[in-house]
Amino acid sequence: MAGNAIQPDMIPADTGVKVDSRWQVQLQRAWRDPTALLHHLGHDPRRFGLARAGAFPFLVTRAFADRMRPGDPDDPLLRQVLPLADEDLETPGFGPDPVGDAASRATQGVLHKYRGRALLVTTGACPIHCRYCFRREFDYTGDGLNGAALAGAVDYIAATPDVEEVILSGGDPLMLANHKLARLTDALAAVPHYRRLRIHSRMPVTLPARIDNAFVDWLRGLDRQVVVVVHANHANEFDRHVSGALSRIRETGATILNQTVLLAGVNDSAGALARLMETAFESGALPYYLHLLDRVSGSAHFEVERDRAVALTGALRERLPGYLVPRLVEERAGAPCKLPVF
Ligand SMILES: *Cc1c(COP(=O)(O)O)cnc(C)c1O
Ligand code: SF4
């Protein structure tokens, strides 16, 4: 998932729909200045070495920032979004497209990397910019599924019987207005070999108000099986608003999974990971993947060594029921699936 700043297109003023729903107003009120958020949390910004402003600007919703602990410079949620000067370091082995996405582009906005599943890059926009995001450097120019591109993507899926599962990704696909999501699934509905819809979104966590009535109605009305994969990295990301959003999704019959990136200084202890998996489950999401960091430029300070990652999942296995232990995986360019790490 990830990308550019919010594009005007994502705030549906250009579509004749009034910008009046609660989540779109909240989006416009997001924090865009790291020093302002640091002041708000009771910090002296001069104590943090911040990165130069770059192509992947600071952005975080108030809903997410509200779960940060005031006065804690090591807060695990703050750390995920704060652009530190470490980002400006060049590290060997870290590059712009660590997972080989550019090579698996089937047509505009479609990545077909794995058998049976096609991933739609519906938008480059997100309501929050996670500093470790593997798509922070992805070139979204000419991507995003508007008009002709949407028709082209549906044509590709219709002409490719291998594709039984369509994954909505981005950026964050829930940045699209509900009527755009409906336009996409209406077009897909006629494709006989399409059986499952998967939605990869961090918005139930980053902006729970996004899960509004019209969204839930759309989800309930789909005539294919639906899997929603959310993304949370720390137990503190869950609160009653997030649990409420997940309950509303579950009531539609969708399955909810959670994926996590293993991040130094955020969740790299057995205790933090165990609490995350339990809290996610209590909120309605089963653990799915625990990803080793994708080695995207500017993210080296988040990396956890493989041996430690393997030891941490071993420790999880000893303290959690099997269904709460996520699968430790890594992504390698050219591989036919996410690779298990032992
Ligand atoms: C991760 C990913 C998928 C989904 O893989 P699963 O193992 O089924 O979760 C599909 N397509 C692309 C391009 C991906 O990066
Ligand atoms: S929400 Fe997902 S896609 Fe967006 S920046 Fe964060 S990790 Fe990347």
Side-chain angles (χ1 to χ4, degrees):
M1 310 186 265
N4 318 341
I6 295 166
Q7 295 154 9
D9 172 56
M10 298 313 141
I11 296 165
D14 63 328
T15 59
V17 176
K18 278 214 318 244
V19 183
D20 57 0
S21 58
R22 210 156 59 86
W23 71 271
Q24 279 145 346
V25 172
Q26 290 191 16
L27 208 53
Q28 290 170 334
R29 295 184 58 240
W31 294 99
R32 287 190 170 72
D33 174 4
T35 58
L37 175 61
L38 288 172
H39 278 303
H40 173 78
L41 291 170
H43 295 300
D44 177 356
R46 286 170 304 185
R47 290 191 47 224
F48 295 79
L50 296 182
R52 286 180 266 122
F56 190 60
F58 175 79
L59 181 66
V60 59
T61 57
R62 282 173 195 260
F64 192 81
D66 285 350
R67 291 166 237 154
M68 296 173 184
R69 290 181 299 235
D72 180 359
D74 301 320
D75 180 86
L77 278 60
L78 177 63
R79 200 174 152 80
Q80 292 181 56
V81 298
L82 195 65
L84 297 177
D86 295 342
E87 289 189 12
D88 298 332
L89 301 173
E90 292 225 9
T91 313
F94 286 72
D97 181 17
V99 298
D101 270 354
S104 59
R105 188 177 187 273
T107 181
Q108 181 172 338
V110 181
L111 299 179
H112 193 181
K113 202 186 247 191
Y114 304 144
R115 190 156 159 184
R117 291 145 287 168
L119 182 148
L120 304 189
V121 180
T122 54
T123 167
C126 281
I128 172 174
H129 285 170
C130 311
R131 307 316 301 177
Y132 47 82
C133 180
F134 76 102
R135 287 195 182 138
R136 58 178 289 160
E137 301 244 336
F138 192 74
D139 180 10
Y140 286 100
T141 329
D143 262 318
L145 286 179
N146 285 313
L150 188 146
V154 173
D155 285 349
Y156 174 80
I157 291 161
T160 314
D162 168 59
V163 179
E164 298 196 330
E165 178 164 328
V166 174
I167 303 175
L168 306 187
S169 183
D172 197 312
L174 299 197
M175 289 293 277
L176 300 182
N178 293 317
H179 70 277
K180 287 198 178 176
L181 294 171
R183 197 188 305 158
L184 176 61
T185 49
D186 286 352
L188 285 172
V191 178
H193 51 268
Y194 151 67
R195 296 165 61 187
R196 281 186 303 279
L197 182 72
R198 194 194 314 184
I199 303 170
H200 276 186
S201 173
R202 189 150 158 66
M203 278 176 87
V205 175
T206 58
L207 193 66
R210 173 65 188 90
I211 309 307
D212 58 12
N213 291 337
F215 175 78
V216 171
D217 289 346
W218 166 71
L219 217 50
R220 191 177 284 114
L222 296 173
D223 66 347
R224 303 299 207 274
Q225 261 193 309
V226 178
V227 181
V228 175
V229 183
V230 298
H231 166 190
N233 303 316
H234 194 278
N236 293 4
E237 289 175 47
F238 292 88
D239 65 4
R240 65 191 171 83
H241 302 292
V242 176
S243 298
L246 296 181
S247 309
R248 287 157 65 80
I249 292 172
R250 272 190 345 143
E251 280 161 15
T252 69
T255 299
I256 306 181
L257 306 173
N258 175 50
Q259 55 182 343
T260 297
V261 185
L262 183 58
L263 298 167
V266 173
N267 58 15
D268 58 335
S269 71
L273 288 170
R275 264 204 314 129
L276 167 62
M277 303 308 155
E278 287 171 332
T279 308
F281 182 63
E282 281 157 16
S283 298
L286 269 175
Y288 185 37
Y289 284 144
L290 177 62
H291 296 268
L292 291 189
L293 182 77
D294 294 314
R295 305 186 95 197
V296 67
S297 315
S299 69
H301 55 294
F302 284 114
E303 189 162 55
V304 176
E305 273 179 48
R306 303 172 74 82
D307 288 357
R308 261 192 76 223
V310 171
L312 285 169
T313 37
L316 283 186
R317 234 172 261 121
E318 288 174 11
R319 58 162 95 178
L320 291 175
Y323 58 88
L324 290 188
V325 180
R327 300 161 196 123
L328 181 66
V329 291
E330 70 178 324
E331 192 155 352
R332 289 240 192 96
C337 59
K338 315 259 191 262
L339 299 172
V341 178
F342 300 108

